Amino acid sequence: MCGIVGLVGETAAAPRLIEGLRRLEYRGYDSTGVATIFDKQIAICRAAGKLINLEGLIEKSPIYGNIGIGHTRWATHGVPSSINAHPHATESVAVVHNGIIENFSSLKSMLESEGHKFCSDTDSEVIPKLIHHLLEQGHEPIEAVAAALKKLKGAFALGIIFAGYENLLIGARRGSPLAVGSNEKESFLASDAFAMAPFTRTVSYLEEGDCAVLRPGITEIFDGKNRTVNRISHESEHDEEMANKSGYQHFMEKEIHEQPRVIRDTLNSYYNSSGGKVFLPNNSEDLFDFDQLYITACGTSFYAGLTARYWMESIARIPVIVDIASEFRYRGSPLNKNGTALFISQSGETADTLAALNFAKNHGQKIISVVNVAESTMARESDLVLPTRAGIEIGVASTKAFTTQLVALACFSIGLAMRRGSISEKDGARLANLLEQLPVLTSDLLKNINRFTQIADELSEVKTVLYLGRGSSYPIALEGALKLKEISYIHAEGYAAGEMKHGPIALIEEGTPVIFLAPSSPLFDKTASNIQEAAARGARVILLSDQKGINELDGLIYKSIEMPEADEFIAPILYTIPIQLLAYYTAVCKGTDVDQPRNLAKSVTVE
Ligand code: F6R
């Protein structure tokens, strides 16, 4: 949610800021902007809309200077426009901000009463105005920033430059992520190490309350008490391959096709194929002694949690409460003393999930998280991280992050079940063996694409689609509806198939597409009855099932997608692939912006 980048060096800043912003555009694309210092003055260029608009402006009127900051915005306060675009600046200081300044109204009134004029509707504009005010009072830049930070309430990652200072870039973080790094002659900051990867691979992550002073080739970090600190440096794993589409039309398509590999990579973190056994991290034994588990997440990651509940309850026999992060901490839910809470997040930075994690921690819970970005705040705040190995996910709609979360959670469920003795080692090995089949099964599903494009063509013409499933297919129905909504803008609802008759059935009219996820399982006959009910009301039933299921319902179904026969344990992972492909090809058919759908951002770092 908003991406910031900054650099100070000896060569032109603007083209490299643009390169950094290109890699951060997944965090928001409502507007972009850069500021540099040239000839002792601040030069700014900002544009509404995507980076390409900013590039056009800079091509016509280049901006010079070897130090600069850049921003790509997901609008919170104020419409997406060039006036509200960052950087925000005065004649002495320019700032890019990711986060929300909660006390901006009172700061703005104070600054207005001191004669400062505001031009934008953003919360962020108070930051340069406040720093400017402090500079006017005689503070040096570093002191002025330190004094300003004390007055800010809310969340921020900041990049700050000053007129007349061509060798000084300041970064600060509270609540929003910020990485810093240097090479021999230059220093960089960015919301994500991926943005710095073309320039430096060695990065450090600022911790809560840290401030960084960057000069060419030198980065100093200070903690909240102004003490010099060392933050561990990491070699970032990002490579050039990750930043391009490798011949696919969209990142989302590329990421869907990467699933066989990343599922294998994730499985390898939990499964020893020669021993045929799932293993849990063995340095965390005391973390696993819980009688009930809270799972909390947002969006697609929440649906991974809902799916995991079926596994944990059925095989590990642990009662599980799954909650949406933005609700969990306000519900006043009584938490078990010394309990354990599990959080799921691709980015590891989602503000609601992070706030829920901190809430659980403050209420004595031990924290386990399933996280894709290893260096993220959530990973750092957890007692135990269960990693997913999806690699960087750039398409805003989550695909490979979801299936790898499912794999990690399935392994965790098997590991817990064996540890608790609710299944035998032999059963554990059987379930793990089923997971081992996933790379091949998913790869086969990705081979015959025509059958998805034909159905997608039809879906692209409709106004509403229903997705229905029972048992562990129910969360996948929810995920199917979410995927379709977010990238094709078609209204879709996911429901538990048995719940349809309690209300959603009223939406069905002649020709309404209803997608049923019905793998062969003990629940198949129940779903079959719901298919009868939908077909009787004129629904165009699209059935995802194996050959046996399709044969049984022949005559009732409008179209089908044949799935391999699969044990119900792995069915939710397998059935995710077709619902991703249907959403993807429907969006392609409609011509929407698949990788950057309207109003969305990949990493939602505001509450
Ligand atoms: C949907 C999607 C979102 C995210 C949600 C949580 O395709 O990507 O619903 O799943 O914003 O994000 P993370 O997993 O990063 O916490």
Side-chain angles (χ1 to χ4, degrees):
M1 193 116 304
C2 297
I4 69 170
V5 61
L7 62 91
V8 51
E10 293 179 355
T11 49
R16 286 172 315 141
L17 291 171
I18 299 280
E19 177 54 34
L21 289 177
R22 194 184 327 284
R23 289 159 169 260
L24 290 176
E25 230 188 344
Y26 72 89
R27 298 176 71 92
Y29 29 83
D30 287 335
S31 65
T32 51
V34 293
T36 58
I37 308 292
F38 184 60
D39 232 359
K40 299 199 163 42
Q41 292 185 358
I42 294 171
I44 288 205
C45 186
R46 304 183 295 182
K50 295 193 175 176
L51 188 59
I52 194 159
N53 300 346
L54 181 74
E55 286 180 277
L57 289 182
I58 292 185
E59 213 171 276
K60 277 194 210 131
S61 325
I63 64 169
Y64 303 101
N66 300 341
I67 176 170
I69 49 179
H71 189 270
T72 179
R73 176 169 189 245
W74 185 84
T76 57
H77 297 56
V79 297
S81 65
S82 58
I83 295 288
N84 288 331
H86 298 218
H88 291 288
T90 67
E91 62 273 22
S92 60
V93 57
V95 175
V96 283
H97 169 219
N98 164 213
I100 290 184
I101 302 303
E102 285 164 5
N103 60 336
F104 83 99
S105 290
S106 58
L107 288 173
K108 190 170 173 180
S109 309
M110 181 278 281
L111 289 161
E112 278 174 337
S113 71
E114 297 281 344
H116 297 276
K117 300 253 177 306
F118 284 76
C119 343
S120 78
D121 303 317
T122 66
D123 54 328
S124 310
E125 197 185 351
V126 296
I127 308 170
K129 291 280 172 2
L130 181 60
I131 298 172
H132 180 92
H133 182 67
L134 292 155
L135 290 169
E136 278 181 338
Q137 291 179 346
H139 290 283
E140 288 297 310
I142 297 176
E143 282 168 27
V145 170
L149 295 182
K150 288 200 182 117
K151 294 190 191 300
L152 300 179
K153 293 208 173 93
F156 52 79
L158 301 174
I160 310 166
I161 54 175
F162 304 86
Y165 292 80
E166 293 182 9
N167 282 330
L168 177 65
L169 164 67
I170 298 185
R173 103 153 251 189
R174 197 190 297 158
S176 306
L178 194 62
V180 293
S182 295
N183 60 30
E184 272 174 16
K185 294 183 176 163
E186 305 163 298
S187 297
F188 307 88
L189 60 79
S191 303
D192 181 336
F194 183 52
M196 299 192 275
F199 319 118
T200 181
R201 289 289 168 82
T202 312
V203 298
S204 305
Y205 294 89
L206 296 197
E207 293 192 1
E208 260 326 78
D210 280 358
C211 192
V213 174
L214 293 88
R215 301 180 198 276
I218 305 167
T219 301
E220 285 174 287
I221 305 177
F222 302 91
D223 68 7
K225 294 194 171 128
N226 208 22
R227 295 174 299 206
T228 308
V229 282
N230 270 327
R231 300 294 177 216
I232 302 166
S233 53
H234 304 257
E235 280 305 301
S236 90
E237 287 172 3
H238 302 121
D239 62 34
E240 286 316 296
E241 181 61 20
M242 291 173 176
N244 64 54
K245 295 181 193 145
S246 311
Y248 290 100
Q249 196 185 343
H250 297 101
F251 279 110
M252 181 176 176
E253 186 189 16
K254 176 187 174 199
E255 287 158 6
I256 289 174
H257 283 266
E258 281 172 349
Q259 288 176 112
R261 178 174 57 78
V262 295
I263 284 174
R264 155 71 55 217
D265 292 347
T266 303
L267 196 52
N268 284 345
S269 302
Y270 302 94
Y271 177 65
N272 175 341
S273 55
S274 57
K277 220 175 144 184
V278 161
F279 49 86
L280 291 174
N282 59 7
N283 55 349
S284 328
E285 288 294 296
D286 60 325
L287 273 175
F288 303 138
D289 288 325
F290 46 80
D291 299 325
Q292 182 190 33
L293 184 66
Y294 282 93
I295 299 185
T296 307
C298 299
T300 289
S301 298
F302 169 66
Y303 298 147
L306 285 181
T307 314
R309 176 166 66 187
Y310 288 88
W311 292 322
M312 297 220 183
E313 296 200 333
S314 63
I315 66 165
R317 310 301 300 151
I318 298 167
V320 175
I321 297 169
V322 192
D323 211 345
I324 296 165
S326 53
E327 291 296 320
F328 168 70
R329 74 193 176 115
Y330 298 114
R331 254 184 333 119
S333 176
L335 300 177
N336 277 354
K337 223 172 161 212
N338 301 323
T340 297
L342 185 144
F343 298 85
I344 309 170
S345 176
Q346 185 284 126
S347 60
E349 301 292 349
T350 301
D352 287 318
T353 312
L354 200 49
L357 184 155
N358 286 323
F359 173 86
K361 213 173 185 177
N362 293 337
H363 284 75
Q365 304 297 294
K366 292 183 208 104
I367 308 294
I368 301 178
S369 60
V370 176
V371 176
N372 192 41
V373 180
E375 308 84 10
S376 60
T377 312
M378 247 178 255
R380 288 201 301 268
E381 297 285 320
S382 301
D383 297 302
L384 172 69
V385 175
L386 301 173
T388 53
R389 306 274 183 218
I392 188 161
E393 193 179 59
I394 292 178
V396 162
S398 191
T399 52
K400 60 177 181 167
F402 179 64
T403 43
T404 53
Q405 285 167 348
L406 293 181
V407 168
L409 288 161
C411 290
F412 185 52
S413 307
I414 298 172
L416 276 182
M418 290 199 304
R419 188 177 179 278
R420 295 165 71 94
S422 55
I423 59 170
S424 64
E425 290 228 342
K426 193 167 152 231
D427 285 339
R430 184 187 73 82
L431 294 175
N433 192 265
L434 290 169
L435 292 174
E436 243 215 323
Q437 296 168 17
L438 282 169
V440 171
L441 291 173
T442 49
S443 165
D444 288 347
L445 275 174
L446 289 165
K447 278 181 189 146
N448 182 358
I449 291 298
N450 275 352
R451 56 200 185 132
F452 301 103
T453 53
Q454 283 163 12
I455 298 176
D457 273 1
E458 292 193 31
L459 292 181
S460 68
E461 303 287 333
V462 306
K463 285 211 157 52
T464 291
V465 181
L466 287 179
Y467 286 76
L468 303 175
R470 276 176 185 263
S472 58
S473 296
Y474 160 48
I476 310 305
L478 294 172
E479 170 63 3
L482 175 63
K483 275 310 74 112
L484 191 73
K485 274 188 271 215
E486 64 181 337
I487 59 169
S488 75
Y489 316 146
I490 293 171
H491 174 249
E493 295 276 356
Y495 261 93
E499 187 68 7
M500 178 181 73
K501 55 190 176 295
H502 298 290
I505 199 164
L507 290 171
I508 298 178
E509 52 188 44
E510 199 58 42
T512 305
V514 184
I515 299 178
F516 278 92
L517 285 72
S520 284
S521 79
L523 293 175
F524 181 84
D525 290 345
K526 304 271 176 213
T527 312
S529 307
N530 303 132
I531 292 175
Q532 294 273 5
E533 291 153 12
R537 284 157 181 85
R540 275 192 273 167
V541 172
I542 298 166
L543 178 65
L544 274 59
S545 187
D546 44 44
Q547 196 182 20
K548 189 163 154 259
I550 293 171
N551 288 346
E552 258 183 59
L553 294 167
D554 193 28
L556 284 178
I557 47 186
Y558 171 70
K559 294 239 155 104
S560 62
I561 292 175
E562 190 184 321
M563 299 290 291
E565 242 176 78
D567 187 282
E568 60 179 317
F569 184 68
I570 56 165
I573 307 177
L574 215 49
Y575 278 63
T576 299
I577 307 291
I579 58 105
Q580 292 171 344
L581 289 167
L582 285 177
Y584 173 73
Y585 285 109
T586 305
V588 170
C589 205
K590 286 198 73 178
T592 55
D593 193 339
V594 171
D595 283 334
Q596 296 180 335
R598 69 184 179 205
N599 303 338
L600 293 173
K602 180 103 196 126
S603 177
V604 186
T605 55
V606 293
E607 271 197 64

